[in-house]
Each structure stands twice: as C-alpha cells, then as structure tokens.
Amino acid sequence: MRALCWEGVNDLRVQTVPDPEIVNPHDVILRITMSTTCGSDLHFIDGYVPSMLPGDVIGHEFMGVVEDAGSEVKKVKKGDRVVVPSFVACGDCWYCQHDLYSLCDNTNPNAEVQAPLLGYPTGACFGYTHAFGGYAGSHAQYMRVPHADVGCFQVPEGLRDEQVLFLSDAAPTGYMGADFCDIQPGDIVAVWGCGGVGLMAQQSALLLGAERVIAIDRFPERLKMARDHIGSETINYAETPDVLAILHEMTGGRGPDACIDAVGMEAHGTGPGYLYDKAMQTLRLVTDRGQALRQAIMAVRKGGTLSVLGVYGVMDKFPIGVIMNKGLTVRSAQQHGQHYLPRLLEHAVKGELDPSYLATHRFSLEDGPRAYQMFKNKEDGLVRAVFTP
C-alpha cells in the first residue's frame, strides 16, 4: 500500500509499505477514508520531538471503514464506518478506568524510552514517534487499530465524513481544554491559536457555557473563521502586539477567567523575547518557543485557570512564580478522546458542532509532502489539509 513516511528532518516521502495485518484478536484493519494534518506533526517533522525512524508512517487524526476484525472484537464489524481517537487505550488499566485514556498503562511498548523523561510513560499515539509507541500512522490506505472495542466509535447515519474527521483529535483536544476550565456562567475564556485545536477550544468553551470567547492569532483568515463560524471576539497580535493591555481592557481590568494555550512549542511572537526563544531553539538549547504560553500565564486573572493543550518539551524562562503568586489552576493533558467522543458525536448529531469548515484544502496522499509544506508555512489560508487515499 501507499503511505506518507518520515525519512528525516523536514523530509517526507510517499512510499510503498507492507499492508497491515491483524496481530492481536482485538485488532481491526481500517480502510482509511480521510485523514488530516495536525500541528503537533510539525514538531517531529522539524526535529524538536525525537525518536522518529526513517520509514515511519505518520498521521494520527483519521476515520475509515472496518476492512477486517480480529476474533475478539465485539463492538464493530466489517463495513462499519468509524472514527478513532489519536491515542491508543486498553480500557482496563487504572488510568483508562478513570477516563485518563491518553495515560494508558498498557499500550506503549516503548515505555522505557519515555520513563526517564516523564517519570512515568504515557499511552501510545498513532504515527507519533517511537517514544509514543511506534505505531504506524493514518496517512496510508490501510492501518491497524489495536484495542478496537475501546478506540473505534461508529459514526451515526446522516453525518458526513467531513463532520466527523476532526472528532478524532482536534475536537476532543479542544473540548477537553475547555472542560479543564470549569466554565461558570458569565465566564470569559481567552484562547491562543486559531488552528484546528484552537478553533475547537473556542467553540467548545461556548458549548460549555462561556459568555464570551476571545481568540488571539496573527493570520486574518483564521481570525475571520473564529468570528464567522464561532462568534469569537478576536485580537491580531501582529497588528496590536500588547495583547495583555487589550485583554485587560476587554475584561474590565480583571483578566480572562480562563486562558487556553492551543499553540505549543513552535509559537510565533513579537519583540526581544521571541527573538531570544527562536535563537535558543535554533541552537537546540531548548525545544520550545514559549511566548504564547507565557502570555497566557500573565493574562489570566488571579485565581483563574490555565489550560495547556499545546505540545511542549523543554522551555527556558518559564514563569512558575507567576503561577504560584496568582494562585492559578493549571490543567493539561494529551487528549482523552475515548472519554469525549460519545459527547462530541451527540453534539454533531444535534447540529451543535460541525468542524467541517476546518478542512480548507484537499489533497491526494501522493501530494502529502507538498500539503505539509503548505501547512507548515500556512500558505493559501490552509488550516487543515485533508487526505483521501
């Protein structure tokens, strides 16, 4: 089969790889109908997240049709249309039993790689480095999905693929980030980033009861999507770089009740602080450019909540003192998709959530390297590139 593979830093190629096979009776083989780019892919493409190997199939946000099922699979069968969260979960360990699916104890076969870095290993993620399990990803014609009864969610009739695709990762990540904020009536939520996850976090905050949502980004077309599709108020930090002063004014001097970082380690910014971060990252002295996260920490009101969805590694000048002195609550995780997908499918069926507008560009799998180059450089208003193998 054909698949989009990592061959080195900033080197993606479409190659012929072996077809996946059922390894465990709880596996299914999916025929991929749609998969999409994700901003976190750029971190290993650019070399900031290690442990990729040449030939690794990438991609972790996807849906498809069950082509074959192992003998122990009970909840789905051949021909079912399903959407699958990006993290692999067993459903039985302590973490899965507590709805912390991305922290699963049993799905990462390379736990010894992560443990020295994190203290304890996380669950596995499709197509996202060997530290996260080394599972083949979704930018392919077919893929193996382990623990299918836990990870495969049947798509209700009447929903188009475009409505469901982003329920694999962008929507549950954004929804989780808003859920972390413990939103109360009247709350104001500020979200850094208007990519797929940032837009889903904004929409989720409103679904969960926020009175106002403020979006911060620098691309006019993305800010327009936030206004038009969600109803967010917007700040273009490239035009008005003093974001803290603007948020102070927009919130009557108190600050947002919660701030969500949906940017991560390759944040763009302005001023000397950004130039310092960029130099440190270029020299590989740190992995992170932390301007968006630092700004969110400074912006949130005293006693407020900081929800971190962006992927991070090692950051210089992290303002832990601000968090302590302001009494902030900090929540973060890789997405617990198996917990949120039933709720998201319900929102989609009711017409309350339709992320299909994120699919701004379509490509064949063969055009995958060009799609990622456009995605990385944010060319032609691209928010998400969708592949149809």
Side-chain angles (χ1 to χ4, degrees):
M1 69 172 183
R2 300 291 280 172
L4 181 59
C5 302
W6 186 92
E7 289 298 328
V9 175
N10 291 311
D11 184 4
L12 300 180
R13 305 179 196 178
V14 179
Q15 302 187 90
T16 298
V17 301
D19 289 356
E21 298 179 349
I22 288 177
V23 176
N24 183 286
H26 297 279
D27 295 346
V28 300
I29 303 298
L30 280 194
R31 174 174 56 83
I32 301 299
T33 55
M34 277 191 176
S35 64
T36 182
T37 54
C38 178
S40 57
D41 295 334
L42 299 178
H43 305 327
F44 65 74
I45 292 172
D46 290 341
Y48 300 122
V49 177
S51 74
M52 291 292 287
L53 295 177
D56 285 346
V57 180
I58 70 170
H60 60 261
E61 191 163 0
F62 62 100
M63 63 180 300
V65 174
V66 176
E67 191 76 8
D68 195 8
S71 59
E72 295 297 319
V73 176
K74 307 299 182 186
K75 295 183 179 179
V76 295
K77 62 185 184 304
K78 183 175 181 177
D80 284 347
R81 189 168 60 124
V82 298
V83 59
V84 182
S86 56
F87 269 77
V88 188
C90 72
D92 295 321
C93 70
W94 187 92
Y95 293 95
C96 289
Q97 290 296 306
H98 288 79
D99 293 330
L100 302 172
Y101 290 95
S102 68
L103 304 178
C104 178
D105 254 344
N106 294 324
T107 57
N108 188 345
N110 300 324
E112 72 282 355
V113 178
Q114 277 195 348
L117 301 174
L118 303 180
Y120 301 92
T122 70
C125 180
F126 293 108
Y128 203 85
T129 78
H130 286 263
F132 282 89
Y135 289 81
S138 61
H139 295 335
Q141 293 173 297
Y142 299 91
M143 72 180 292
R144 181 176 75 94
V145 177
H147 300 284
D149 281 340
V150 181
C152 290
F153 291 79
Q154 291 194 48
V155 177
E157 290 295 327
L159 293 179
R160 295 173 290 108
D161 282 4
E162 294 87 345
Q163 292 175 278
V164 177
L165 170 62
F166 300 101
L167 273 56
S168 169
D169 189 275
T173 303
Y175 200 94
M176 179 186 72
D179 191 31
F180 282 169
C181 295
D182 189 25
I183 294 169
Q184 303 298 313
D187 275 1
I188 301 173
V189 178
V191 179
W192 274 255
C194 288
V197 170
L199 290 165
M200 289 296 95
Q202 294 164 43
Q203 191 159 3
S204 298
L206 291 174
L207 282 171
L208 291 173
E211 182 171 306
R212 296 167 61 199
V213 171
I214 303 170
I216 299 101
D217 205 297
R218 66 186 171 111
F219 292 98
E221 63 275 13
R222 294 188 174 203
L223 292 164
K224 185 175 187 300
M225 291 179 80
R227 292 190 299 270
D228 293 351
H229 291 280
I230 300 167
S232 301
E233 303 167 54
T234 59
I235 298 173
N236 185 333
Y237 69 81
E239 296 176 351
T240 50
D242 196 347
V243 172
L244 297 182
I246 297 167
L247 286 170
H248 187 269
E249 181 179 347
M250 293 176 74
T251 59
R254 191 175 70 176
D257 299 285
C259 289
I260 300 175
D261 166 26
V263 179
M265 64 169 63
E266 295 184 71
H268 184 270
T270 58
Y274 171 65
L275 296 176
Y276 174 86
D277 279 350
K278 193 170 183 180
M280 292 285 284
Q281 190 186 56
T282 300
L283 294 170
R284 295 300 196 267
L285 297 174
V286 298
T287 59
D288 302 349
R289 300 197 300 259
Q291 191 153 15
L293 181 55
R294 295 192 201 100
Q295 200 171 71
I297 292 169
M298 292 295 293
V300 67
R301 69 162 169 83
K302 294 176 291 185
T305 299
L306 173 70
S307 176
V308 183
L309 301 180
V311 173
Y312 286 98
V314 179
M315 183 185 300
D316 191 33
K317 294 180 170 52
F318 183 76
I320 186 66
V322 179
I323 293 173
M324 187 275 290
N325 282 290
K326 288 172 65 178
L328 303 183
T329 297
V330 181
R331 298 287 306 275
S332 187
Q334 298 276 12
Q335 62 121 340
H336 305 306
Q338 289 84 347
H339 175 58
Y340 290 104
L341 247 166
R343 204 181 314 179
L344 292 168
L345 286 167
E346 186 176 338
H347 282 306
V349 168
K350 292 179 178 178
E352 298 168 343
L353 179 66
D354 182 358
S356 58
Y357 64 88
L358 299 179
T360 55
H361 292 65
R362 291 176 177 271
F363 295 88
S364 70
L365 194 58
E366 298 294 326
D367 287 328
R370 182 169 69 89
Y372 266 97
Q373 194 63 32
M374 291 180 64
F375 179 56
K376 175 181 176 178
N377 296 326
K378 299 177 175 64
E379 298 174 20
D380 193 36
L382 193 156
V383 173
R384 286 296 187 94
V386 172
F387 301 115
T388 49

